[in-house]
Amino acid sequence: MDISVKEIEHIADLSRITLTVDEKNTFAKQLTNILGYIEKLNELDTDEVQPMAYATFLKNVFREDKLKSSFSRQEILELSPSSANGFFKVPKVIE
Amino acid sequence: MLSHELSANQIKEKIIKREITAQEVIEELFEWINLKEPLIKAYLCLDRDGAFLKAKEVDKKLDNGDKVGLLAGVPVALKDNICTVDIKTTCASKILEDFIPPYDAFVVKRIKEEDAIIIGKTNLDEFAMGSSNENSAFHVTRNPWNTDCIPGGSGGGSAAAVTADTVFMALGSDTGGSVRQPSAFCGNVGCKPTYGRVSRYGLVAFASSLDQIGSVTKDVYDAALLLQVVSGHDGFDSTSATVGVPDYISDINNVDGNLKIGVPKEFFGEGLNSEVGSAVMNALEIYKKNGAELIDLSLPHCGYAVATYYIIATAEASSNLARYDGVRYGHRSQLSEDNIIDMYSRVRAEGFGSEVKRRILLGNYVLSSGFYEDYYLKASKVRNLIRNDFEDAFKKVDCIISPTCPTPAFRIGEKITDPLQMYLSDIYTIPANLVGIPGISVPCGFTNTGLPIGMQILGKHFDERKILKVAKLFENGTDFHLKKPELN
């Protein structure tokens, strides 16, 4: 199946990545190629097969709901490229 | 023999016996790094001051007659997607170019507790996505055996450093072969343990159901030593296994009982370089002479592993990498910010390289509405078929031996424009990640042009002990692991 530039634009929007015109064209070609290869999975009948999400058999992991020490607000805010008054700073999201 | 040429265990023994001090080891090592690092470019950052500080501490303990750890004074390097407090952890990405983690990964904490000395952080393909190291945002690491060739990926920096003797051992991460493939290309020993065996806490996530931290070492004994230190349960990783960790070291030279080795025909077919194929066949003959029984096998669904992997790994990556938004840490665009969606989109456009963008797009595509069942669900089912193949095989054999990679190291630039060809270089390593079993790559020969060839030994879930023993048996009868490249 061919991936169009329009489809790339749609996925790029979902992915929150701005793409240049060149990138859109290249990725459309490359994804078409990769998805073409992936189509070989359709050779297999998997109707009766259970999906597998993890390699080992995991059970839910529970722990006591107890307070533990963590990082201070200051330590975490220092990592941020933009913060003010004890908060992360971002462009306005509410009108 | 110069100190940097010794194995990790050998240098540790010398330090403990006080034949050399930990500080002298670091001094000599940095002299060697200054000479050879410009040729290889294995590191993204070196922590000379931190290394001397820790070496001093180890020497003091020894002078006082205090107990020292299993890695006393051993210089170790870390792939730069493993978090280190106070040392930058960049994932070879512009988006994390200045990121200094506020905590140590579980494995970093463990090696520090055992008195290892962290030398620096090694290069990788951005976010561990790649098979050649060419996707690093900063520079391309060179293969010490031929500097026109790639060292492999994604952990090419760790493998190249160990081979160039610019460190004694290293930790990497293996999502589809990123420890084993570069180890094969650089001629050292790379081990990916069972999924869950080593905590992923502090390993920057790529594909969470496949990622596993592994070791890059000069020989099999060192692999056992490093795995002994980093294995075990950790409450900070909810997928960390509670299975007990056996002693990997003391009994490593004894392969108990009759060894049954599975030889899967799918790993010796079309696409396999003939020199690689015959080196592995010769290795199998050596096992046979040592009394092992070789059993022909079929793993019929392994031909679908790469296709399965590139759906599952990219789907998980698209979700894991959603966190890079320029808000809490990492790169923030200098362009004006009109609204938050534009801000996210610019941050990610500027911060991620091509391969990372390609995989995020592919991952979101296969998960998007209307395609989920055809791609992600389908792949999850095929993954189960691949697991069944291995379960059936391990009813008959103790381990499975194959080439680690279909070819030796390729040239820089050879595959960079064709992502699919690049992906296919991981064809033999990917199944172990999908199934979660342990695997180790050991050197088993050289091509006519002098490039190393790796052999892969796969074992049952949580049976690292067996594959280490099987690897050691081969190493004891051969000297491929002792060969050194001429670094001029």
Side-chain angles (χ1 to χ4, degrees):
Chain A
M1 190 175 59
D2 277 11
I3 304 292
S4 65
V5 168
K6 209 168 165 220
E7 279 175 292
I8 291 289
E9 284 171 350
H10 173 62
I11 318 163
D13 183 44
L14 293 177
S15 307
R16 302 283 187 250
I17 301 176
T18 309
L19 297 180
T20 64
V21 177
D22 278 355
E23 280 179 319
K24 286 177 198 173
N25 290 324
T26 310
F27 287 147
K29 257 184 262 160
Q30 289 172 336
L31 259 61
T32 299
N33 192 16
I34 296 164
L35 288 165
Y37 175 76
I38 284 172
E39 301 257 303
K40 73 187 281 185
L41 296 184
N42 295 328
E43 293 164 11
L44 298 170
D45 178 4
T46 52
D47 287 351
E48 306 296 319
V49 183
Q50 287 295 309
M52 166 184 167
Y54 265 94
T56 42
F57 297 96
L58 291 169
K59 279 182 284 186
N60 247 344
V61 180
F62 292 101
R63 59 170 174 79
E64 293 273 328
D65 186 17
K66 275 199 305 206
L67 201 64
K68 276 190 217 161
S69 63
S70 186
F71 302 106
S72 71
R73 174 186 283 212
Q74 194 50 40
E75 273 176 287
I76 296 303
L77 283 173
E78 274 169 15
L79 297 172
S80 172
S82 181
S83 66
N85 306 325
F87 294 98
F88 297 116
K89 202 171 158 191
V90 295
K92 199 157 120 183
V93 283
I94 308 165
E95 287 303 320
Chain B
M1 199 181 227
L2 299 163
S3 70
H4 57 259
E5 290 182 355
L6 298 170
S7 75
N9 189 57
Q10 286 168 336
I11 200 73
K12 177 187 108 175
E13 295 291 332
K14 273 183 170 293
I15 293 169
I16 288 177
K17 287 184 194 144
R18 306 316 276 148
E19 290 169 21
I20 190 167
T21 66
Q23 289 168 90
E24 283 163 355
V25 170
I26 297 299
E27 209 170 292
E28 290 181 20
L29 182 65
F30 271 96
E31 269 174 39
W32 183 249
I33 289 173
N34 287 341
L35 279 175
K36 300 303 171 188
E37 175 62 9
L39 294 173
I40 307 300
K41 296 165 113 182
Y43 286 94
L44 288 176
C45 109
L46 287 158
D47 184 21
R48 194 191 164 94
D49 294 347
F52 271 107
L53 216 64
K54 179 71 183 181
K56 216 169 164 181
E57 192 188 301
V58 173
D59 283 334
K60 202 172 160 195
K61 273 191 193 178
L62 285 163
D63 289 342
N64 292 344
D66 295 344
K67 198 173 173 290
V68 288
L70 276 173
L71 299 175
V74 177
V76 180
L78 303 164
K79 188 178 180 182
D80 205 24
N81 60 350
I82 298 173
C83 286
T84 41
V85 74
D86 297 337
I87 306 176
K88 274 204 281 189
T89 300
T90 68
C91 291
S93 179
K94 281 191 183 144
I95 216 158
L96 288 176
E97 192 165 5
D98 300 310
F99 177 62
I100 300 174
Y103 68 101
D104 274 333
F106 173 85
V107 292
V108 175
K109 195 172 141 257
R110 283 294 301 127
I111 63 167
K112 282 183 176 173
E113 284 167 358
E114 297 296 339
D115 292 320
I117 297 174
I118 294 168
I119 296 300
K121 307 292 291 286
T122 52
N123 199 14
L124 63 151
D125 287 291
E126 185 178 4
F127 283 101
M129 296 180 185
S131 309
S132 70
N133 233 272
E134 292 163 291
N135 296 329
S136 168
F138 305 120
H139 59 248
V140 181
T141 297
R142 309 273 164 160
N143 191 314
W145 292 95
N146 179 342
T147 50
D148 292 331
C149 289
I150 55 99
S154 63
S158 284
V162 170
T163 295
D165 291 325
T166 53
V167 79
F168 287 79
M169 52 176 30
L171 285 169
S173 65
D174 191 313
T175 305
S178 289
V179 162
R180 289 163 288 155
Q181 186 253 34
S183 288
F185 284 177
C186 290
N188 48 46
V189 175
C191 185
K192 177 204 98 78
T194 308
Y195 182 81
R197 182 53 108 183
V198 178
S199 168
R200 293 181 294 111
Y201 178 69
L203 169 67
V204 177
F206 159 15
S208 304
S209 83
L210 304 162
D211 294 344
Q212 184 55 219
I213 288 177
S215 59
V216 182
T217 55
K218 296 183 186 184
D219 62 28
V220 177
Y221 189 95
D222 282 356
L225 182 64
L226 186 51
L227 289 176
Q228 196 76 59
V229 168
V230 298
S231 296
H233 180 254
D234 170 30
F236 284 125
D237 171 2
S238 60
T239 61
S240 163
T242 49
V243 181
V245 180
D247 182 343
Y248 295 139
I249 304 167
S250 56
D251 203 26
I252 194 162
N253 285 312
N254 294 320
V255 176
D256 2 67
N258 295 325
L259 180 63
K260 287 183 184 160
I261 298 173
V263 184
K265 64 174 186 200
E266 288 80 4
F267 287 60
F268 290 87
E270 200 192 329
L272 176 62
N273 169 292
S274 62
E275 285 183 276
V276 175
S278 47
V280 178
M281 294 315 282
N282 290 341
L284 288 168
E285 283 307 311
I286 291 176
Y287 279 111
K288 212 168 154 185
K289 279 187 196 133
N290 276 282
E293 188 184 342
L294 304 183
I295 297 171
D296 288 329
L297 279 182
S298 174
L299 299 163
H301 298 98
C302 277
Y304 299 94
V306 174
T308 304
Y309 176 83
Y310 278 94
I311 295 174
I312 290 170
T314 57
E316 293 184 14
S318 68
S319 167
N320 273 326
L321 272 65
R323 75 190 64 180
Y324 302 102
D325 55 9
V327 176
R328 290 150 301 155
Y329 45 78
H331 171 79
R332 180 83 162 247
S333 178
Q334 295 304 307
L335 295 168
S336 68
E337 296 171 343
D338 305 330
N339 71 62
I340 197 156
I341 304 290
D342 286 349
M343 184 203 102
Y344 294 151
S345 304
R346 277 195 207 123
V347 160
R348 293 161 66 80
E350 292 171 9
F352 291 140
S354 294
E355 182 62 23
V356 174
K357 286 177 188 169
R358 187 158 40 241
R359 294 204 196 189
I360 292 173
L361 295 174
L362 184 57
N364 277 326
Y365 182 82
V366 299
L367 289 175
S368 62
S369 147
F371 296 111
Y372 169 82
E373 288 190 355
D374 286 348
Y375 291 110
Y376 186 77
L377 190 65
K378 181 81 185 182
S380 304
K381 289 177 169 187
V382 178
R383 187 177 185 182
N384 213 356
L385 293 174
I386 296 169
R387 175 173 63 184
N388 291 342
D389 283 356
F390 278 91
E391 260 179 26
D392 289 345
F394 282 126
K395 282 177 194 152
K396 290 175 266 181
V397 299
D398 302 302
C399 66
I400 293 171
I401 289 185
S402 76
T404 308
C405 311
T407 66
F410 40 94
R411 297 180 90 78
I412 291 169
E414 191 178 322
K415 296 188 181 182
I416 197 69
T417 52
D418 189 345
L420 185 57
Q421 282 311 308
M422 188 74 92
Y423 297 171
L424 288 169
S425 69
D426 297 333
I427 195 159
Y428 302 145
T429 47
I430 278 174
N433 299 85
L434 291 170
V435 179
I437 53 174
I440 188 167
S441 176
V442 290
C444 73
F446 289 86
T447 64
N448 285 334
T449 57
L451 289 170
I453 298 170
M455 162 175 75
Q456 174 176 245
I457 307 164
L458 299 172
K460 299 172 190 175
H461 285 113
F462 299 106
D463 204 8
E464 286 81 5
R465 196 160 171 259
K466 174 71 86 186
I467 60 170
L468 287 164
K469 283 171 180 235
V470 173
K472 190 72 164 74
L473 177 69
F474 180 74
E475 198 183 78
N476 287 345
T478 54
D479 62 358
F480 301 115
H481 64 292
L482 297 173
K483 297 244 168 29
K484 304 266 183 200
E486 281 174 37
L487 295 167
N488 298 316

